[in-house]
Amino acid sequence: MELRHLRYFTAVAEHLNYSEASRRIHVAQPAISQTILDLEEELGVRLLLRDRRTVRLTAAGETFRREALEILRRNEEAVRLTKRASLGEVGQLRIGFFASAVAAFLPALVQEYHRRFPDVELTLLELTPTQQLGAFDEGRLDLGFSRPLPAERSREFHEELVYTEYLQLVLPSAHPLTRNLAGDGTIGIKRLSAERFVLLHRQRAPGLYDEVLAFCRRVGNFSPQVVNEPDRTSTVLLLVESGIGVSIVAGCVRHLVRAGGPVVFYPFQPASAPVELRLTWRRGMPSSPTVEAFRELVQSRLEAIRTLMEARR
């Protein structure tokens, strides 16, 4: 039994007229008649009662008509969904991120993606760079906004630069150093050698943690006295506000704090090494239209994202 058997039969069942069915589906009447005879022989039941003037459905024919229509409907739906899936219009997409790096632009990206592809099931997972690697390994993630991957893992992934930023100092707003800044509002790292530091725990962002320590040693000629290592950026800011210590963070963190708040941010002069945010996805996986559609959206917004992040340094 083929789908054409169902199409020919349902056309005759709808119009109860072979000539009209032939005209509607553009198939010769003898071909329709023979196909329905073949169908009845295969099923072993009469579907239609016909004479020279009338065509009527048997009880079995009425049952078969309902089922055939449902099969044809489901076939058409399967074709439609398959075509939409090939265009990235349906399916699922799981994106990893950490809030400080994407807070300024991710909401607008997600809104635009939802507008274009309302039937894609989009899942956003707040994960550190280390956690994102684990989620990729477990098959729970399709894309990630992350820091550059460790060298030993980089061959497993594609990485695309989203924007570049630099390290900044975070102080309580009343800290004495805020009264002795350079004329351009920057600060030299050497002036922090006697300070106590609160740093985000290395397990949360190992590359960033290592760059903070390397920057202090490379430019400031000191190793920071780290007195607390919370595992959340919000806690780092809370401890800085409380006077426990100063901190050095990626510049994007300032997007989490309102202007005029209890902590203030200052760029360094000379600047740190660049800190990059990258869009990451696995190599060697079958091409995913939903992934490609989101990547294309990000690429179309890259200039605007970089301009936004540059303006907020």
Side-chain angles (χ1 to χ4, degrees):
M1 187 183 303
E2 301 174 10
L3 288 175
R4 65 182 178 88
H5 292 82
L6 305 184
R7 293 192 184 99
Y8 294 2
F9 169 74
T10 54
V12 173
E14 178 182 358
H15 302 289
L16 295 178
N17 185 296
Y18 279 79
S19 297
E20 182 63 15
S22 174
R23 188 179 70 82
R24 292 295 184 97
I25 65 175
H26 308 290
V27 176
Q29 183 174 332
I32 294 177
S33 297
Q34 186 58 54
T35 298
I36 291 178
L37 289 172
D38 292 342
L39 183 58
E40 289 178 323
E41 182 177 353
E42 180 177 348
L43 294 172
V45 298
R46 293 289 298 275
L47 300 173
L48 297 167
L49 298 175
R50 47 206 179 268
D51 55 33
R52 291 183 179 180
R53 292 186 176 184
T54 62
V55 178
R56 292 180 293 118
L57 286 165
T58 65
E62 176 60 32
T63 298
F64 191 74
R65 182 190 69 84
R66 292 195 300 268
E67 296 301 321
L69 286 172
E70 178 62 17
I71 291 170
L72 292 172
R73 186 197 66 78
R74 291 174 62 186
N75 176 71
E76 290 175 359
E77 179 68 4
V79 170
R80 186 183 70 84
L81 289 176
T82 299
K83 289 180 177 179
R84 293 189 66 197
S86 73
L87 299 173
E89 295 177 357
V90 295
Q92 72 169 1
L93 181 62
R94 301 160 299 177
I95 301 173
F97 71 97
F98 52 104
S100 59
V102 301
F105 65 85
L106 185 60
L109 277 178
V110 169
Q111 290 169 12
E112 178 62 17
Y113 188 81
H114 269 312
R115 186 188 68 79
R116 296 186 188 184
F117 308 106
D119 294 326
V120 173
E121 181 185 347
L122 183 61
T123 302
L124 299 176
L125 303 169
E126 186 170 10
L127 302 169
T128 67
T130 300
Q131 290 171 334
Q132 287 186 36
L133 277 176
F136 274 119
D137 291 342
E138 295 167 4
R140 297 189 291 112
L141 208 59
D142 301 306
L143 283 166
F145 287 99
S146 186
R147 298 301 184 192
L149 296 171
E152 66 272 14
R153 298 296 307 270
S154 61
R155 292 183 181 179
E156 304 172 34
F157 295 87
H158 296 283
E159 294 181 87
E160 183 171 344
L161 178 66
V162 178
Y163 67 81
T164 299
E165 58 183 342
Y166 297 88
L167 296 178
Q168 293 199 9
L169 172 66
V170 190
L171 298 172
S173 57
H175 194 285
L177 283 174
T178 64
R179 298 190 291 271
N180 297 289
L181 298 173
D184 59 0
T186 62
I187 194 166
I189 186 70
K190 291 183 179 180
R191 298 182 61 185
L192 305 179
S193 59
E195 297 291 335
R196 303 197 311 169
F197 282 80
V198 176
L199 297 181
L200 186 66
H201 199 286
R202 187 179 185 279
Q203 288 185 345
R204 305 292 288 182
L208 184 65
Y209 186 96
D210 292 347
E211 174 53 30
V212 169
L213 267 58
F215 181 50
C216 291
R217 293 166 184 158
R218 183 176 66 247
V219 179
N221 295 316
F222 72 93
S223 294
Q225 180 188 357
V226 181
V227 297
N228 206 306
E229 296 185 8
D231 62 0
R232 298 182 66 87
T233 301
S234 58
T235 308
V236 171
L237 298 176
L238 176 65
L239 295 182
V240 170
E241 178 185 351
S242 302
I244 302 301
V246 303
S247 188
I248 297 176
V249 299
C252 61
V253 172
R254 70 185 306 155
H255 303 310
L256 304 179
V257 179
R258 70 183 187 279
V263 297
V264 288
F265 296 78
Y266 296 104
F268 289 106
Q269 187 58 251
S272 69
V275 178
E276 295 181 349
L277 182 74
R278 298 182 182 181
L279 187 62
T280 304
W281 66 101
R282 267 203 180 280
R283 293 182 183 273
M285 299 294 288
S287 178
S288 167
T290 55
V291 169
E292 293 304 311
F294 191 85
R295 285 186 54 236
E296 289 173 5
L297 176 59
V298 172
Q299 288 171 344
S300 72
R301 299 292 183 89
L302 277 180
E303 183 176 350
I305 291 171
R306 290 169 183 173
T307 299
L308 174 64
M309 301 307 292
E310 176 71 26
R312 297 191 178 190
R313 284 183 187 171

